[in-house]
Amino acid sequence: MVSRVIPVDPFDLVIFGGTGDLARRKILPGLFRRFIAGQMPPEARIIGAARTDMDSAGYREMIAGAIDEFGGIDTPPAGTLDAFLAQLEYVTIDAKGEAGWAELQELMKGTGRVEAYYFSVAPSLFGDLAERLQHWGMADVDARIVVEKPFGRDLATAKALNGTLAKYFNEDQIYRIDHYLGKETVQNLMAVRFGNMLFEPLWNAQYVDHIQITVAETVGVGGRGEYYDKSGAMRDMVQNHLMQLLCLIAMEPPARFDPDAVRDEKLKVIRALDPVLPHHIMRGQYEAEAGQEGTHPSYREAVGDPRSKTESFIALKTQISNWRWSGTPFYLRTGKRMAARSSEISVVFKETPHSIFGPDAGQHRNVLSIRLQPNEGITLGVTIKEPGPGGMRLIDVPLDMTFAEALDDDAEHVDAYERLIMDVIRGNQTLFMRGDEVEAAWAWTDPIIHGWEARGEVPKPYDSGSNGTTDSHELMRRDGREWRKVSL
Ligand code: BG6
């Protein structure tokens, strides 16, 4: 299946932090892939802006290296790399001072193109950048700014950040990134729910026993220990990525697939979430990998604090208090150094009200599993008769739809960042978080974090390569349920 690529309007994209990790690993290689796909018009310009003293030629060389290292493209079609690099410029700039701003202003003057400014820098610089953009006449009503997570570390800081940005930009100019919303299967979740008649009538507490969301990673905190130890899994993953998945799986059908209709419905879900009880949340820290302590140290060693109380794993149970979901628990789990890299949402349906097949048939539940990564796809567990003679024995078999197989492998793989940047240029905010959504998510998260801080709770250890802490399994078992296996 060949995908249709519609070029976006000509644009100027300024990337503050243009020499940083995210720019080199994700943003620029992603833009190059869009260039190859024919989505980037030849008039478009990408302007890297950072403190490093460098000229445009030096920047092009740096980005060529980054594309080679992180682009995932074996041999780019002839001439494409040079043509792409020719669209790149660089400005040495001081986010907190005056250096470089006149030059940037000159570059951006009256181009008549879409203007976007990507803040790929520490959140402490967001205010400085926004203020200077306005001061230098670059914050006109058509300009867009893109901001990365973390968006605050609690409700107060998120509100302050929203307040600062609102001084210079309207909400419809602000694109808050949660890269999970740019993942193909995450969008497919909406297509499956709202494009099929099959599921929606069953999508409620009457038929759904519970829903589990697992985002398991095999990586540890690596070189990000300093950032991570101040965040932990709750702030790094649950408040944003898992919360977004929860919203998409639980929200009411929006009237239209447009930014505010979708975000209004997500906001209602977050606001209907019950507070999490202390015994419904388990935290863990990974231990060193047996036999590989040097390369795979424990969490505390990796962050260099033998007394760290930050969690690298979390499992929790929550409820949504509304008509659709009252009585259906939602279990969320995420962690580093787990058994496999696997993100999955499972909708576990209730058993049939009465089994006509007698006690030997066993208990069976349909499970709809939406695998976000890897092997994106959807599986529906269906109960059938075990083939052969000997009576009526029931077994569960998967109706499996792995997207790569169902859709041919030449279906284009678009990375989350590529998709989201193109949406910024198109002016489509559907897959970006609105300010009130982020604040509502923090309002739910804050009391949980304050609770364990006040109680001085220490995360429990769990083995590297496992499925998390022992008590996270208890959380399920005492409800008569179990986590789905974390596997590829
Ligand atoms: C980031 C977190 O937002 O998401 C990381 O800061 C995490 O800690 C990453 O590893 C996971 O993203 P993905 O796309 O690899 O699932």
Side-chain angles (χ1 to χ4, degrees):
M1 188 184 309
V2 179
S3 36
R4 244 171 350 122
V5 172
I6 302 164
V8 294
D9 288 340
F11 64 87
D12 286 336
L13 171 66
V14 178
I15 306 172
F16 294 109
T19 56
D21 218 42
L22 184 71
R24 286 182 306 114
R25 280 175 187 272
K26 293 280 182 189
I27 304 175
L28 271 310
L31 284 164
F32 180 47
R33 288 193 292 269
R34 292 295 84 215
F35 180 91
I36 296 175
Q39 201 162 23
M40 224 178 99
E43 307 90 328
R45 285 185 312 173
I46 299 162
I47 301 161
R51 253 186 331 197
T52 315
D53 197 7
M54 193 185 332
D55 59 10
S56 293
Y59 190 57
R60 290 180 192 128
E61 204 175 308
M62 171 192 260
I63 298 309
I67 288 173
D68 185 39
E69 195 175 346
F70 307 115
I73 308 159
D74 291 341
T75 322
T80 49
L81 184 59
D82 285 341
F84 173 75
L85 294 174
Q87 293 183 235
L88 262 57
E89 314 253 357
Y90 182 78
V91 180
T92 306
I93 213 158
D94 180 1
K96 284 180 168 296
E98 301 312 310
W101 287 94
E103 196 186 332
L104 184 63
Q105 184 195 42
E106 192 54 37
L107 273 173
M108 299 299 284
K109 220 178 229 165
T111 61
R113 299 189 267 241
V114 173
E115 277 174 42
Y117 300 90
Y118 199 128
F119 293 7
S120 178
V121 295
S124 56
L125 295 177
F126 289 177
D128 295 301
L129 289 177
E131 188 197 328
R132 278 169 182 69
L133 283 173
Q134 192 202 46
H135 176 79
W136 290 91
M138 288 179 267
D140 58 57
V141 288
D142 297 324
R144 289 150 208 180
I145 59 166
V146 186
V147 292
E148 269 295 329
K149 76 173 256 268
F151 199 88
R153 55 174 286 105
D154 53 19
L155 179 58
T157 49
K159 273 190 171 166
L161 208 47
N162 275 333
T164 305
L165 296 181
K167 279 199 243 163
Y168 310 105
F169 295 95
N170 299 323
E171 181 61 34
D172 64 5
Q173 298 179 274
I174 305 172
Y175 290 72
R176 294 176 195 78
I177 287 211
D178 182 316
H179 78 281
Y180 266 59
L181 289 178
K183 288 183 190 277
E184 185 72 27
T185 325
V186 174
Q187 292 174 68
N188 231 324
L189 196 60
M190 286 187 273
V192 167
R193 279 199 61 194
F194 304 127
N196 294 287
M197 196 55 210
L198 187 60
F199 303 113
E200 193 52 27
L202 306 178
W203 214 258
N204 55 53
Q206 196 183 342
Y207 297 102
V208 177
D209 177 72
H210 73 279
I211 291 181
Q212 345 186 333
I213 303 177
T214 294
V215 178
E217 298 186 273
T218 49
V219 292
V221 291
R224 297 165 75 224
E226 203 187 318
Y227 150 77
Y228 193 91
D229 203 41
K230 293 196 199 89
S231 304
M234 191 70 184
R235 290 190 171 99
D236 186 54
M237 296 294 288
V238 178
Q239 185 271 346
N240 37 72
H241 305 324
L242 276 84
M243 178 70 78
Q244 290 296 324
L245 299 180
L246 173 74
C247 286
L248 297 179
I249 201 92
M251 71 185 184
E252 295 301 313
R256 291 170 306 282
F257 189 58
D258 82 15
D260 279 330
V262 171
R263 297 185 298 177
D264 286 347
E265 294 307 334
K266 288 198 292 167
L267 180 62
K268 286 186 212 161
V269 172
I270 306 175
R271 290 195 172 147
L273 278 173
D274 282 356
V276 177
L277 302 172
H279 63 288
H280 286 168
I281 187 157
M282 279 80 202
R283 299 194 304 144
Q285 277 177 343
Y286 59 81
E287 297 278 49
E289 184 127 4
Q292 295 184 49
E293 289 78 1
T295 48
H296 292 67
S298 70
Y299 175 80
R300 290 178 172 199
E301 277 169 75
V303 301
D305 178 0
R307 280 191 297 276
S308 170
K309 289 183 181 169
T310 306
E311 76 287 350
S312 62
F313 169 88
I314 206 157
L316 64 86
K317 169 176 156 179
T318 185
Q319 301 265 356
I320 300 173
S321 280
N322 63 16
W323 271 48
R324 184 187 287 263
W325 292 120
S326 183
T328 294
F330 286 72
Y331 298 90
L332 273 48
R333 170 175 69 155
T334 183
K336 302 220 179 268
R337 283 257 191 276
M338 290 179 65
R341 178 173 188 256
S342 158
S343 301
E344 192 180 84
I345 303 174
S346 295
V347 181
V348 181
F349 290 90
K350 292 188 172 171
E351 286 162 24
T352 52
H354 162 71
S355 172
I356 63 169
F357 304 110
D360 291 347
Q363 294 181 330
H364 297 271
R365 285 172 173 171
N366 300 114
V367 180
L368 180 73
S369 288
I370 301 146
R371 284 192 311 278
L372 306 179
Q373 58 194 24
N375 309 325
E376 292 93 333
I378 294 183
T379 308
L380 178 62
V382 182
T383 303
I384 60 164
K385 176 188 172 298
E386 193 178 326
M392 197 66 162
R393 289 183 307 274
L394 302 186
I395 51 165
D396 295 329
V397 292
L399 269 183
D400 197 349
M401 198 176 91
T402 302
F403 293 150
E405 285 166 18
L407 302 175
D408 299 348
D409 225 5
D410 57 351
E412 210 191 344
H413 296 291
V414 180
D415 174 81
Y417 277 94
E418 297 171 41
R419 169 172 291 116
L420 294 175
I421 295 171
M422 290 299 113
D423 277 359
V424 173
I425 307 301
R426 290 192 202 98
N428 185 347
Q429 288 185 306
T430 310
L431 301 177
F432 295 83
M433 292 180 296
R434 211 167 51 189
D436 50 4
E437 240 185 289
V438 180
E439 288 182 16
W442 280 122
W444 177 78
T445 313
D446 272 6
I448 301 175
I449 297 177
H450 294 160
W452 68 57
E453 280 173 356
R455 293 188 296 274
E457 276 175 25
V458 180
K460 305 243 168 69
Y462 64 94
D463 290 340
S464 276
S466 72
N467 284 349
T469 57
T470 321
D471 59 1
S472 69
H473 297 285
E474 260 322 294
L475 172 74
M476 280 290 203
R477 243 171 255 139
R478 65 184 180 224
D479 290 348
R481 302 182 172 112
E482 57 183 325
W483 290 108
R484 291 181 45 92
K485 200 161 170 272
V486 175
S487 60
L488 285 179

